[in-house]
């Protein structure tokens, strides 16, 4: 943890952003197809970028290919085998967190949990088991935006957040473009909303754990009132615990 960073400047410092494109939306069974880790400087520009095309080892459904543009044939012909790719992705994220640089992940509960399950599937040590003590925080634009501007109407996906905060998203569902846009959106919302922007970096992770749980409880209550009396919405963040 970067204990030297002072209150209120996390959104003006360096960040590392992470994004996945996958075979689907089930965190327990779907697989990684592309991944990007993008280091973003204090000026908001890309300092370094690393991307992966992965052969997930299973067919990529047409619905997923239509979103991110990667077919089964392309992944098999050009992609890395899943196990070494997942090890590289996880190690790259670990090095970023160990350095004290905050990790920006839009809807972290999805991407980081799916990565965790891929690690377990391939016998790789998961990200959350690699560090001792407290890592640098995860910054989740989805959780922070809902916390800072909870009554705003409309969608809150990455494209919507980019439009709201004036961030350009040139290639939606390209992992590198999405990661960079998420970092820039996080920077803009931190600068705009004092309720999150003035929080010390050391406390930001804990704020999001509480906020994500509150948001999930609110959604669960709404669903139980309106459509599904037995609805359950996961409250854990940024990784859903692995349950054998």
């Amino acid at each position: 943890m970067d204990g030297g960073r002072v209150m209120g400047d996390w959104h003006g410092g360096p960040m590392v952003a992470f994004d996945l494109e996958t075979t689907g939306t089930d965190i327990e069974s779907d697989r990684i197809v592309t991944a990007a880790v993008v280091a973003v400087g204090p000026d908001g520009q890309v300092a370094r970028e690393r991307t992966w095309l992965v052969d997930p080892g299973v067919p990529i459904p047409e619905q997923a290919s239509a979103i991110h543009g990667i077919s089964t044939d392309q992944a098999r012909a050009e992609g890395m085998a899943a196990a070494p790719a997942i090890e590289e992705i996880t190690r790259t994220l670990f090095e970023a967190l160990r350095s004290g640089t905050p990790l920006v992940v839009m809807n972290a509960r999805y991407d980081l949990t799916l990565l965790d399950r891929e690690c377990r599937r391939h016998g790789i040590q998961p990200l959350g088991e690699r560090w001792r003590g407290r890592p640098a925080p995860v910054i989740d634009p989805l959780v922070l935006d809902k916390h800072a501007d909870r009554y705003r109407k409309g969608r809150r996906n990455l494209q919507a957040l980019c439009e709201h905060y004036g961030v350009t998203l040139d290639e939606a569902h390209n992992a590198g473009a999405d990661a960079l846009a998420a970092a820039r959106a996080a920077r803009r919302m931190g600068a705009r909303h004092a309720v999150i922007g003035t929080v010390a970096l050391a406390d930001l992770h804990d704020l999001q754990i509480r906020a994500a749980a509150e948001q999930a409880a609110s959604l669960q209550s709404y669903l139980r009132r309106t459509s599904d009396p037995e609805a359950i919405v996961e409250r854990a963040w940024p990784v859903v615990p692995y349950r054998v």
Side-chain angles (χ1 to χ4, degrees), residues 7-69:
M7 180 175 292
D9 76 338
W10 63 263
H11 45 85
M15 301 174 175
V16 172
F18 173 55
D19 188 74
L20 295 176
E21 296 298 328
T22 63
T23 59
T25 59
D26 188 322
I27 58 174
E28 300 296 343
S29 62
D30 279 303
R31 311 294 178 91
I32 295 170
V33 177
T34 64
V37 178
V38 182
V40 182
D43 60 357
Q45 299 304 307
V46 175
R48 296 181 308 281
E49 179 175 357
R50 187 164 184 192
T51 60
W52 292 263
L53 172 61
V54 182
D55 176 2
V58 298
I60 301 172
E62 291 184 3
Q63 303 95 309
S65 295
I67 293 171
H68 52 60

Side-chain angles (χ1 to χ4, degrees), residues 6-220:
V6 299
M7 180 175 292
D9 76 338
W10 63 263
H11 45 85
M15 301 174 175
V16 172
F18 173 55
D19 188 74
L20 295 176
E21 296 298 328
T22 63
T23 59
T25 59
D26 188 322
I27 58 174
E28 300 296 343
S29 62
D30 279 303
R31 311 294 178 91
I32 295 170
V33 177
T34 64
V37 178
V38 182
V40 182
D43 60 357
Q45 299 304 307
V46 175
R48 296 181 308 281
E49 179 175 357
R50 187 164 184 192
T51 60
W52 292 263
L53 172 61
V54 182
D55 176 2
V58 298
I60 301 172
E62 291 184 3
Q63 303 95 309
S65 295
I67 293 171
H68 52 60
I70 307 298
S71 67
T72 300
D73 288 344
Q74 181 183 356
R76 288 175 176 170
E78 303 173 18
M80 287 183 66
I86 291 159
E87 168 59 35
E88 286 187 7
I89 295 164
T90 306
R91 186 171 64 248
T92 301
L93 293 178
F94 171 69
E95 294 297 337
L97 287 167
R98 188 169 64 173
S99 76
T101 307
L103 178 65
V104 179
V105 192
M106 175 70 183
N107 192 12
R109 183 186 281 126
Y110 172 76
D111 286 58
L112 293 182
T113 303
L114 195 145
L115 177 63
D116 176 271
R117 303 306 191 261
E118 283 275 56
C119 286
R120 297 174 189 278
R121 183 175 294 121
H122 294 282
I124 295 166
Q125 186 179 29
L127 183 63
E129 297 177 5
R130 294 193 180 211
W131 54 64
R132 296 176 182 273
R134 188 177 175 89
V138 172
I139 294 174
D140 188 337
L142 178 62
V143 172
L144 287 178
D145 181 64
K146 287 181 177 180
H147 179 71
D149 197 1
R150 66 186 63 190
Y151 300 114
R152 189 176 79 249
K153 303 294 185 183
R155 297 174 64 84
R156 307 234 188 186
N157 59 21
L158 181 59
Q159 289 175 282
L161 291 189
C162 286
E163 291 175 6
H164 182 72
Y165 289 101
V167 172
T168 299
L169 176 55
D170 293 322
E171 298 180 73
H173 303 296
N174 171 288
D178 284 359
L180 177 59
R184 289 174 171 171
R187 193 182 303 279
R188 292 281 179 90
M189 67 180 65
R192 181 179 299 185
H193 300 295
V195 69
I196 56 174
T198 58
V199 175
L201 185 57
D203 299 324
L204 192 64
H205 193 91
D206 291 339
L207 180 152
Q208 290 171 97
I209 290 173
R210 296 191 300 271
E214 291 167 0
Q215 292 159 17
S218 176
L219 177 58
Q220 179 175 293

